[in-house]
Amino acid sequence: MWAGKKILLGITGGIAAYKSIHLARLFVKAGAEVQVVLTPSARDFVTPLSLSALTGRPVYTDTFEPESGQWNNHVELGLWADVMVIAPATANTLSKMANGLCDNLLLATYLSARCPIFFAPAMDLDMYAHPAVQQNIARLQSFGNYLIDAEVGPLASGLEGKGRMAEPEHIFQHIEQFFAAKSSLAKKKVLINGGPTYEYIDPVRFIGNHSSGDTAVFLAWEAHKRGAEVTLVLGPTRYKNDIFPFTVKHVTSALEMLDVFLPLSADSDIVICSAAVADYRPKVTFQQKIKKNEQNLLIELEKNPDILATLGKRKKENQVLIGFALETENQIENARKKLINKNVDAIVLNSPSQATGFSTPTNQVSVLFKDGTTATSQLVLKEKLASWLWDMFLKSLHL
Ligand code: CTP
């Protein structure tokens, strides 16, 4: 897995920098190519000589080296790497990264890099706990960077607490897991639907629900990260104008979703139906806005097709079909009925509450598999849940 992998190792000026020499060695020993970039203050903690002897490559600090006249191209460095690992990442560098500052080669490389970026903070416990630092970390994560969280233990200050850079072995494992996960869905075609559907009564009113589409979007991102060719079909959500690195089709009603989804499903390896499809639509959609009068208004509803059940009937032998179930009572029993009646391989059971459900950033689910086994997640951010779900699908459905 490691052979030929290109790691850009950014080292900043903290006492933990000495551990990054060992980290560079772990990468090299595993078969990776390692290019080190030091910030100017990192040179006070580690010498370029030891790192270049270990990696077999020159170590860069400045964009321009006056003695040799050499120009170190940050854009090329950023494009060269499969991953960039910044370890240790000091409070100062974290702040600059979070705000787009660019006063050294490491920061310029970070800003130009297109590859996944991991950062391993290291600082004293009170600095680490400071809201400014925590906000910078959260901001960096919101840009899609991966945090390798600081660990608890004795600190250089003599105090003890959270702030130590993760041990080099732990950082190495993080990157290894990332590479392993990245290829776990390689060559698979994954089709996902999500969000609500809107069933129009007249030009301004519709029957809909509060589904955000977040779970579908995170599942799609995670499948993409793991190497799948992803198509996402979304009902009306806030993601209307977002640009994704995979195919996204926007639809409005259940009938439209079926029209788009069904042909795509024919050659998909894994199909996930997480959309909160409206079960009914108005029998008539009025062309003009309905005017109120003295009488009550009766709207006749007719049944929408069940997209998941339709796919269940046409499922091919080596196609995997996964549904969702939203239940408020007899949850396991009802979800299992859906699993059987709709002929799916797994059902993800949701229950709406304050912490789980449509408009919350977190969720906790159980997955019921065809073979009778179940798995229950922790209450986590939906983004994390997507990763957990793919781990479960891969393991229990032998993908
Ligand atoms: N589903 C679908 N088409 C529908 C209704 C639901 O594809 N018209 C799918 C959902 O995407 C989900 C699963 O069926 O994967 C279960 O949806 P849910 O709303 O929990 O249940 P329903 O089948 O609609 O049954 P009920 O509302 O009676 O619980």
Side-chain angles (χ1 to χ4, degrees):
M1 187 203 301
W2 281 96
K5 286 281 184 297
K6 298 186 176 76
I7 314 283
L8 193 54
L9 177 60
I11 303 179
T12 73
I15 190 74
Y18 78 93
K19 290 194 199 169
S20 297
I21 298 177
H22 180 46
L23 179 61
R25 189 158 178 275
L26 290 175
F27 289 142
V28 170
K29 251 180 85 184
E33 289 179 48
V34 181
Q35 174 61 59
V36 176
V37 177
L38 299 175
T39 59
S41 59
R43 296 175 83 125
D44 296 333
F45 295 90
V46 286
T47 70
L49 186 61
S50 40
L51 283 156
S52 88
L54 262 176
T55 60
R57 288 174 161 269
V59 168
Y60 302 128
T61 304
D62 298 309
T63 311
F64 178 65
E65 287 173 23
E67 289 119 62
S68 62
Q70 190 179 316
W71 161 256
N72 297 322
N73 189 327
H74 57 90
V75 177
E76 260 172 30
L77 283 172
L79 293 179
W80 169 84
D82 292 312
V83 296
M84 181 172 187
V85 183
I86 302 172
T90 57
N92 189 33
T93 293
L94 287 181
S95 169
K96 290 180 181 178
M97 284 164 67
N99 291 289
L101 261 76
C102 185
D103 63 357
N104 62 45
L105 179 67
L106 191 149
L107 291 164
T109 309
Y110 159 72
L111 288 173
S112 353
R114 291 189 189 163
C115 60
I117 292 165
F118 293 79
F119 63 103
M123 64 202 77
D124 205 50
L125 79 164
D126 293 309
M127 289 171 77
Y128 195 67
H130 197 284
V133 170
Q134 288 304 314
Q135 270 181 25
N136 285 335
I137 290 176
R139 187 135 199 254
L140 286 171
Q141 286 180 289
S142 77
F143 299 156
N145 300 309
Y146 297 93
L147 167 70
I148 303 178
D149 208 0
E151 294 179 359
V152 177
L155 299 159
S157 60
L159 297 171
E160 203 158 325
K162 187 169 180 179
R164 284 168 67 90
M165 184 177 87
E167 289 303 321
E169 284 77 8
H170 298 167
I171 298 177
F172 179 84
Q173 279 162 16
H174 261 273
I175 313 296
E176 188 164 67
Q177 276 163 14
F178 171 79
F179 282 135
K182 202 171 165 232
S183 54
S184 60
L185 288 171
K187 299 200 182 81
K188 299 273 187 217
K189 279 192 170 181
V190 171
L191 175 66
I192 303 174
N193 71 17
T197 63
Y198 285 0
E199 313 297 327
Y200 273 86
I201 300 168
D202 69 12
V204 291
R205 293 143 176 146
F206 57 83
I207 297 172
N209 59 67
H210 288 299
S211 171
S212 62
D214 290 351
T215 298
V217 168
F218 291 136
L219 280 170
W221 261 110
E222 188 63 29
H224 167 76
K225 280 191 212 156
R226 293 174 186 229
E229 186 187 324
V230 179
T231 305
L232 174 64
V233 178
L234 272 183
T237 63
R238 67 191 156 90
Y239 295 105
K240 199 84 195 155
N241 299 315
D242 287 29
I243 295 165
F244 294 101
F246 42 79
T247 309
V248 181
K249 295 187 183 288
H250 295 280
V251 296
T252 304
S253 66
L255 287 179
E256 254 185 83
M257 189 173 272
L258 182 76
D259 271 0
V260 172
F261 206 65
L262 220 51
L264 288 169
S265 69
D267 70 338
S268 298
D269 301 299
I270 304 166
V271 181
I272 304 182
C273 291
S274 71
V277 184
D279 289 331
Y280 297 93
R281 65 177 181 277
K283 194 162 185 184
V284 176
T285 302
F286 290 87
Q287 294 306 307
Q288 305 299 331
K289 186 178 166 223
I290 302 172
K291 298 301 265 182
K292 71 169 174 288
N293 59 33
E294 296 311 311
Q295 266 93 55
N296 288 338
L297 175 67
L298 279 180
I299 297 172
E300 193 179 345
L301 300 178
E302 67 183 339
K303 214 163 165 215
N304 266 331
D306 189 313
I307 300 172
L308 181 62
T310 309
L311 294 181
K313 284 190 192 123
R314 314 174 158 208
K315 191 160 99 75
K316 287 185 279 177
E317 200 168 317
N318 40 19
Q319 190 174 49
V320 167
L321 183 58
I322 298 164
F324 274 62
L326 185 71
E327 305 294 345
T328 51
E329 54 179 350
N330 302 328
Q331 301 185 357
I332 299 277
E333 199 188 316
N334 285 339
R336 196 155 285 288
K337 274 189 199 151
K338 283 179 189 165
L339 178 96
I340 294 162
N341 296 342
K342 302 196 189 199
N343 188 29
V344 297
D345 298 286
I347 278 272
V348 181
L349 168 63
N350 270 297
S351 45
S353 78
Q354 277 194 338
T356 63
F358 278 165
S359 338
T360 57
T362 52
N363 201 359
Q364 178 170 33
V365 299
S366 294
V367 191
L368 284 66
F369 293 99
K370 207 164 57 176
D371 65 3
T373 57
T374 54
T376 300
S377 76
Q378 308 276 347
L379 178 67
V380 286
L381 287 172
K382 285 181 177 170
E383 198 172 355
K384 270 222 161 126
L385 186 71
S387 165
W388 181 85
L389 280 170
W390 276 116
D391 286 345
M392 287 301 123
F393 299 155
L394 282 159
K395 193 170 111 204
S396 300
L397 298 171
H398 313 291
L399 296 174

